[in-house]
């Protein structure tokens, strides 16, 4: 009698372990099929902001993972103390741009109004040292990509090189440094974008890890429920 | 769309959502038996993976939710299933957030439970595909409205926010209606007790 009870309890436990494992394996197969069909590492649900400084021009874009751009997203740029330095909406390609007025951390916040929100902080070190350090308003620049499209291009006092490529740039050390900065930034930009995209990818191991966790939770719950039932009767 | 991220909602909304979800999850766990657990785990896995399938129709970027199906199959146990799926998505993929987990679970799982009660009595009378599709679409509508409510309670204007979310989800409603209807038809043929009227868990147990 007692041995029969022990055997059925053992069989019960085995069943609880085997069935979820089998079902998890089935889920994994289904997941593989589903992801192959979806054919993208579809991390396309997380809103993100990316911005790059070239000289004191800051350009960026708001996008969902998978490089789907967010049109008409509200973008606010704030200083370290929270004051709003600049506000705009993204253009058709999700881009925005502004001229930084000071060498401070610029916190860029994008908000779609439906619960999607993303932040990006442009560190002060990426901006040219010729800018003042005390917080100052950022200003719009002419953005041919279809943004706000205000104002003509502006220059920092003391800069002799036009941001839009003057015909005869002067060769003072300051302007040479600015040119080098710009060139380096231009070459580094694609790398940085790639890095951001790489970091944001949803990977197989994440999917399988999540399913593994669910299987684990199911197993632990089964153990607890088995104890509760056998104790409570 | 439904995964509201950290930092959007106000503290009272977050706390209310967390408390309400905790209570609902406790209730959902009370109804569970060990035999139900594989099904709960399966639905939770399906929801976890389902959000990776994004629907490219329409102007915005939305994904499958599958909470209608979860409600039909699990009833109140949809709460713990959805909580686990959302938590893992927040931790692994960065979708949504952890502080906002209570609110996200509530807006996703409450429509599931409502669909469970609304459609369980239809199982005998109407075609399975019809009420399955209706449940799938209704769950999405209710969830979108729920997101609008949460945003409004945090200070945004309700109508623009709700409209934004609902309109963006119309393609998802269509896809989910078809998907849920198809799954319901399959379950109806193969394992009707999973969709039985009343508490499906009780039906399985034979009680």
């Amino acid at each position: 009698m007692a041995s029969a009870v022990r055997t059925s309890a053992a069989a019960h436990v085995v069943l609880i372990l085997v069935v979820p494992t089998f079902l998890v394996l089935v889920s994994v197969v289904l997941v593989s099929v589903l992801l192959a069909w979806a054919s993208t590492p579809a991390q396309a649900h997380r809103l993100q902001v990316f911005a790059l400084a070239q000289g004191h021009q800051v350009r960026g874009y708001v996008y969902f993972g998978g490089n789907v751009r967010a049109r008409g997203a509200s973008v606010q740029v704030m200083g370290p103390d929270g004051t709003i330095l600049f506000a705009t909406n993204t253009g058709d390609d999700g881009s925005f741009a502004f001229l930084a007025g000071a060498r401070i951390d610029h916190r860029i916040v994008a908000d779609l109004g439906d619960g999607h929100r993303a932040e990006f902080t442009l560190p002060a070190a990426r901006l040219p040292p010729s800018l003042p350090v005390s917080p100052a308003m950022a200003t719009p620049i002419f953005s041919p990509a279809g943004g706000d499209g205000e104002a003509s291009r502006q220059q920092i006092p003391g800069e002799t090189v036009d941001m839009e490529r003057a015909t005869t740039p002067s060769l003072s050390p300051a302007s040479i440094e600015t040119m080098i900065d710009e060139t380096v930034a231009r070459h580094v930009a694609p790398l940085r974008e790639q890095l951001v995209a790489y970091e944001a990818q949803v990977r197989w191991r994440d999917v399988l890890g999540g399913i593994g966790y669910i299987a684990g939770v199911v197993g632990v719950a089964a153990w607890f429920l088995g104890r509760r039932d056998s104790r409570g009767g | 769309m439904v995964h509201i991220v950290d930092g959007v909602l106000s503290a009272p909304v977050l706390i209310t959502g967390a408390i309400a979800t905790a209570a609902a999850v406790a209730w959902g766990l009370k109804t569970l038996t060990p035999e139900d657990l594989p099904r709960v785990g399966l639905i939770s896995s399906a929801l976890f993976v389902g959000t990776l399938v994004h629907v490219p129709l329409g102007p915005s970027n939305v994904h499958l939710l599958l909470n209608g199906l979860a409600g039909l199959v699990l009833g109140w146990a949809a709460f713990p299933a959805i909580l686990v799926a959302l938590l893992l998505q927040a931790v692994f993929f960065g979708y949504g957030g952890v502080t906002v987990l209570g609110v996200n679970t509530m807006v996703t799982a409450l429509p599931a439970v409502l669909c469970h009660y609304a459609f369980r009595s239809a199982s005998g009378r109407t075609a399975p595909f019809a009420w399955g599709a209706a449940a799938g679409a209704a769950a999405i509508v209710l969830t979108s409205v729920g997101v609008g409510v949460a945003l409004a309670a945090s200070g945004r204007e309700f109508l623009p926010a709700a409209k934004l979310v609902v309109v963006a989800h119309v393609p998802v409603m269509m896809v989910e209606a078809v998907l849920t209807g198809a799954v319901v038809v399959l379950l109806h043929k193969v394992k009707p007790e999973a969709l039985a009227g009343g508490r499906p868990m009780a039906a399985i147990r034979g009680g």
Side-chain angles (χ1 to χ4, degrees):
Chain A
M1 209 34 187
S3 62
V5 169
R6 269 201 296 278
T7 315
S8 76
H12 197 68
V13 166
V14 166
L15 191 69
I16 287 173
L17 290 177
V18 166
V19 171
T21 313
F22 172 70
L23 284 167
V24 162
L25 288 175
V26 169
S27 319
V28 165
V29 171
L30 288 174
V31 162
S32 326
V33 171
L34 203 63
L35 280 183
W37 169 69
S39 79
T40 55
Q43 76 285 42
H45 187 55
R46 196 165 134 208
L47 189 71
Q48 302 181 77
V49 182
F50 179 70
L52 204 48
Q54 284 180 266
H56 68 139
Q57 269 189 12
V58 179
R59 294 184 184 272
Y61 50 90
V62 181
Y63 64 107
F64 292 94
N67 211 24
V68 175
R69 301 295 177 94
R71 265 178 292 164
S74 128
V75 172
Q76 282 188 333
V77 182
M78 288 178 265
D81 55 353
T83 47
I84 297 179
L85 302 174
F86 184 68
T88 183
N89 288 320
T90 59
D92 277 341
D93 60 350
S95 67
F96 61 89
F98 60 92
L99 287 175
R103 200 179 192 214
I104 50 174
D105 288 347
H106 285 74
R107 209 174 103 214
I108 304 168
V109 177
D111 197 321
L112 288 184
D114 61 355
H116 278 123
R117 187 176 177 276
E119 267 194 40
F120 183 88
T121 302
L122 190 72
R126 299 243 181 96
L127 295 166
S130 48
L131 286 176
V133 179
S134 58
M137 296 295 288
T139 44
I141 60 176
F142 174 64
S143 169
D148 270 331
E150 299 175 35
S152 48
R153 46 181 197 273
Q154 290 133 328
Q155 297 174 318
I156 313 173
E159 291 287 332
T160 47
V161 176
D162 230 21
M163 290 303 152
E164 304 287 314
R165 226 46 68 254
T167 47
T168 51
S170 79
L171 290 177
S172 67
S175 48
I176 289 178
E177 189 178 330
T178 311
M179 280 195 282
I180 293 175
D181 267 345
E182 260 185 87
T183 312
V184 170
R186 203 171 58 235
H187 287 285
V188 166
L191 274 178
R192 212 173 261 149
E193 291 183 36
Q194 263 185 308
L195 196 62
V196 167
Y198 181 76
E199 276 180 294
Q201 260 184 349
V202 163
R203 288 191 176 72
W204 277 98
R205 62 166 183 258
D206 297 327
V207 173
L208 295 178
I211 294 181
Y213 267 97
I214 292 176
V217 166
V218 165
V220 169
W223 186 77
F224 270 112
L225 287 179
R227 280 183 50 167
R228 180 187 77 183
D229 281 352
S230 69
R231 246 198 258 128
Chain B
M1 280 296 170
V2 169
H3 294 116
I4 309 173
V5 300
D6 287 330
V8 172
L9 299 178
S10 60
V13 176
L14 293 179
I15 295 173
T16 313
I19 295 176
T21 298
V25 166
W27 178 253
L29 289 175
K30 240 169 81 87
T31 65
L32 283 183
T33 67
E35 290 83 13
D36 307 323
L37 283 174
R39 198 158 27 124
V40 175
L42 200 59
I43 293 279
S44 196
S45 302
L47 262 69
F48 173 72
V49 172
T51 3
L52 298 176
V53 181
H54 74 291
V55 181
L57 316 165
S60 187
N61 213 3
V62 288
H63 59 85
L64 290 185
L65 204 49
L66 297 178
N67 57 341
L69 186 63
L72 289 178
V73 173
L74 297 179
W76 277 98
F79 264 96
I82 288 173
L83 176 76
V84 170
L86 288 180
L87 174 64
L88 290 173
Q89 281 175 351
V91 166
F92 276 97
F93 308 139
Y95 295 170
V98 177
T99 64
V100 78
L101 194 63
V103 175
N104 277 337
T105 307
M106 183 55 64
V107 300
T108 312
L110 189 62
V113 173
L114 292 176
C115 283
H116 167 64
Y117 283 117
F119 291 98
R120 61 180 178 168
S121 51
S123 69
R125 299 183 314 233
T126 28
F129 186 83
W131 60 268
I140 299 287
V141 173
L142 290 173
T143 301
S144 311
V145 170
V147 171
V149 167
L151 291 172
S154 297
R156 312 207 182 207
E157 293 194 17
F158 174 65
L159 274 184
K163 218 170 57 161
L164 193 66
V165 180
V166 172
V167 165
H169 276 85
V170 166
V172 177
M173 283 179 218
M174 299 190 309
V175 174
E176 278 232 14
V178 170
L179 193 64
T180 311
V183 174
V184 163
V185 165
L186 181 69
L187 284 177
H188 194 73
K189 284 206 187 96
V190 171
K191 198 171 186 182
E193 61 268 16
L195 299 167
R199 291 167 51 177
M201 310 299 182
I204 294 268
R205 247 179 282 138

